[in-house]
Amino acid sequence: MADRVTVIGWDGTPLTEAARAALGAATLVAGAPYQLAALDLPQGAERMALGSVELAARRIADHRGAAVVVAEGDPGFFGVVRTLRRPEFGLELEVLPAVSSVAAAFARAGMPWDDAQVVSAHGRRLRRAANVCRAHPKVAVLTAPGAGPTELALMLRDVHRTFVVCEALGTPDEEISVLTSDRVPDHVWRDPNVVIVVGGATRPATEAAGWLAGRPVDFPGTVRGWALDGEAYAAADRPVGVTGAAPAPEAGGPPAPDTPALPAEARALVLARLGPRPGDLLWSVGAGSGSLAVEAARFGAAVVAVDADADACGRTAVNARRYGVEVEVVHGDAPEVLGELPEPDVVAVEHGDAATVAACLARRPERLVAVPRTLAEAEGFRRAFAAAGYRTGGTLLHASALEPAEDPALGGGHAPAPSAPVLLLWGERPA
């Protein structure tokens, strides 16, 4: 094992005295080619271009002498320290950090970043990074070859965002570009770079900072709890319940609206089965007033809410603004409109037929929860799950709210309010 291993973070500024001393005593130096060319290395020291950190760690573990690893910015923040510290390498490290590339990027942009999400697109995580950009108004993305500003902008082509592209930070070729996401693919970008993606319900820069980094927990409208009562949303939906046959409108009355309203208890179970989380994209098909879509967004997931009713789409947008979350609202008929949507991780079919469920399953989400309106419709959904090879389950949920009793004989107590049971079916894609 190397006698001493020093990890030096370098942001292009002159090295500290400690970093110069470690570099001057090194017998092995690993770093990016441009770093090895720019730094004053000891004569006779072995040089290693830092590609795979695992291969470098194995080489350092076999080296006798003083090893130095040069990394960008703060090597403990989405950097090489995590890999070098793995127990199989047995390395003891001294870390000398510089300003992280993310901090430098926000400094160049003149923006605060305690309220920003920070994600890495390395290791085939570009789609998840893009979903975080859909869900949050300020995100810093650490890019990678093949997962840079252009690829990120193409994944966000259906939402408007502003990109601050910081190229070659800490080098003489450093350049900062600010442009809208639709213009990003028109450029050729250099590595390494950091992209700040801004848009949506951005908080004013003059607003007081919160206390938890990356989580605007004090956003106006933030409430405690989940599965809020229907009164918490701008809604004009009809109750949901399963019957043996299709529900019919009252004689002489207007037809029942198509937009469903899941009761709070059913909504809680749907969210529990889907488990939306940061980096996920959830489709809410037949979203109604968007209560489920909004609550999934409060978990940090990106959400697309689809409904054929224009008024329902408007109510979803109002509810999203009320609770300070990002929900992309799509007006159109399912399943036809689904073909143009980005790939989902989880799907809730709140209102739709078996063809809609089958179209969603064809996109291979990890999980899907559907709400049948009739027992016959439930059987059609079950067959769609089986045909797609999904493991299935379901429940008939009957929860009645307690309301003050009108019968004096009850002594002023409470009685359950009349309600219809809700049938939920779910499927999970096999690993």
Side-chain angles (χ1 to χ4, degrees), residues 58 69 109 124 144 153 165 188 193 209 250 324 392 398 415:
R58 292 191 182 96
V69 178
R124 296 184 293 180
V165 183
V188 177
N193 57 61
E250 295 181 8
T392 60
H398 194 176

Side-chain angles (χ1 to χ4, degrees), residues 88-181:
E88 62 261 36
F89 302 128
L91 301 176
E92 293 293 333
L93 308 180
E94 179 184 6
V95 181
L96 305 175
V99 174
S100 74
S101 56
V102 173
F106 277 102
R108 303 293 193 275
M111 298 167 61
W113 64 290
D114 50 82
D115 58 344
Q117 304 290 320
V118 181
V119 298
S120 172
H122 291 245
R124 296 184 293 180
R125 296 188 182 96
L126 178 63
R127 193 180 70 84
R128 299 192 69 81
N131 286 339
V132 174
C133 294
R134 288 176 177 274
H136 296 276
K138 186 189 293 183
V139 183
V141 183
L142 297 166
T143 63
T150 294
E151 292 82 2
L152 183 62
L154 290 173
M155 283 201 163
L156 297 173
R157 61 187 178 274
D158 52 341
V159 295
H160 178 77
R161 293 291 186 268
T162 297
F163 276 43
V164 181
V165 183
C166 304
E167 297 178 87
L169 284 170
T171 75
D173 298 324
E174 176 179 300
E175 187 172 351
I176 311 299
S177 304
V178 181
L179 64 172
T180 55
S181 51

Side-chain angles (χ1 to χ4, degrees), residues 84-384:
L84 295 175
R85 285 283 298 174
R86 280 163 43 179
E88 62 261 36
F89 302 128
L91 301 176
E92 293 293 333
L93 308 180
E94 179 184 6
V95 181
L96 305 175
V99 174
S100 74
S101 56
V102 173
F106 277 102
R108 303 293 193 275
M111 298 167 61
W113 64 290
D114 50 82
D115 58 344
Q117 304 290 320
V118 181
V119 298
S120 172
H122 291 245
R124 296 184 293 180
R125 296 188 182 96
L126 178 63
R127 193 180 70 84
R128 299 192 69 81
N131 286 339
V132 174
C133 294
R134 288 176 177 274
H136 296 276
K138 186 189 293 183
V139 183
V141 183
L142 297 166
T143 63
T150 294
E151 292 82 2
L152 183 62
L154 290 173
M155 283 201 163
L156 297 173
R157 61 187 178 274
D158 52 341
V159 295
H160 178 77
R161 293 291 186 268
T162 297
F163 276 43
V164 181
V165 183
C166 304
E167 297 178 87
L169 284 170
T171 75
D173 298 324
E174 176 179 300
E175 187 172 351
I176 311 299
S177 304
V178 181
L179 64 172
T180 55
S181 51
D182 59 309
R183 295 177 54 201
V184 171
D186 298 334
H187 297 255
V188 177
W189 305 102
R190 294 166 294 171
D191 291 324
N193 57 61
V194 177
V195 181
I196 301 174
V197 182
V198 182
T202 308
R203 303 178 76 183
T206 56
E207 190 171 316
W211 57 272
L212 183 61
R215 298 295 296 272
V217 293
D218 298 321
F219 192 96
T222 298
V223 296
R224 186 185 296 275
W226 308 98
L228 305 180
D229 290 337
E231 292 76 11
Y233 300 97
D237 299 334
R238 63 178 170 83
V240 170
V242 63
T243 63
E250 295 181 8
D258 287 334
T259 48
L262 282 174
E265 296 81 6
R267 197 181 332 124
L269 182 56
V270 172
L271 289 168
R273 287 294 175 181
L274 293 176
R277 58 190 178 184
D280 284 347
L281 176 62
L282 178 142
W283 288 359
S284 177
V285 182
S289 64
S291 54
L292 179 73
V294 167
E295 294 199 349
R298 290 179 61 209
F299 280 106
V303 179
V304 176
V306 179
D307 205 286
D309 185 286
D311 290 338
C313 291
R315 291 193 295 272
T316 296
V318 168
N319 286 321
R321 288 194 298 270
R322 173 181 293 181
Y323 293 100
V325 294
E326 294 288 318
V327 174
E328 181 185 350
V329 181
V330 176
H331 177 217
D333 291 310
E336 291 79 11
V337 74
L338 304 178
E340 299 179 1
L341 301 185
E343 298 303 311
D345 295 283
V346 290
V347 175
V349 179
E350 300 183 66
H351 184 73
D353 56 16
T356 298
V357 172
C360 293
L361 291 170
R363 302 292 286 274
R364 308 303 292 172
E366 291 182 30
R367 296 182 179 186
L368 185 149
V369 178
V371 186
R373 296 296 181 270
T374 69
L375 297 176
E377 193 172 63
E379 178 58 23
F381 289 4
R382 188 198 62 77
R383 287 196 296 268

